[in-house]
Amino acid sequence: MRKIYAFDLDGTVTKVETLPLLAAELNLSKEITRLTELTLSGRIPFEISFRMRYGILNRIPLSRIVEIMATVPLDGSMEKFIEGNRND
């Protein structure tokens, strides 16, 4: 029987938060950080925050996102776990 795993990407599979890296591409790090703070404090509902982030970050070409994400260091133990459970 196959198993299914779900992971939080940022700070779990990766060693860094990726949203700030993407926001930096647009020089919007402060705005994204503030949006994150407002969301985590419950002042903006998650769905609205998610749509706002998408509206901001969708201006980055996909090819550039791939380049940025290729530089993100992965957590070694998580990488080994995922690789070892590839068939699940």
Side-chain angles (χ1 to χ4, degrees):
M1 183 169 168
R2 291 183 73 176
K3 297 176 186 175
I4 297 173
Y5 302 98
F7 303 96
D8 174 39
L9 176 68
D10 287 350
T12 302
V13 176
T14 65
K15 289 186 175 184
V16 299
E17 297 286 325
T18 57
L19 190 57
L21 293 176
L22 296 172
E25 182 70 13
L26 300 171
N27 295 316
L28 293 173
S29 297
K30 289 180 184 178
E31 291 82 353
I32 291 292
T33 297
R34 182 67 179 138
L35 183 55
T36 299
E37 290 168 354
L38 291 170
T39 305
L40 292 175
S41 70
R43 296 175 67 194
I44 296 177
F46 177 78
E47 183 177 346
I48 292 171
S49 175
F50 185 84
R51 291 177 187 273
M52 291 173 75
R53 291 166 202 251
Y54 176 78
I56 293 167
L57 298 175
N58 77 353
R59 294 181 281 162
I60 304 171
L62 182 56
S63 60
R64 182 63 184 133
I65 292 172
V66 170
E67 290 173 1
I68 294 167
M69 295 303 288
T71 69
V72 174
L74 301 178
D75 178 276
S77 61
M78 289 302 298
E79 189 174 16
K80 287 178 186 175
F81 177 85
I82 292 168
E83 184 62 35
N85 292 280
R86 178 173 286 232
N87 293 327
D88 292 334

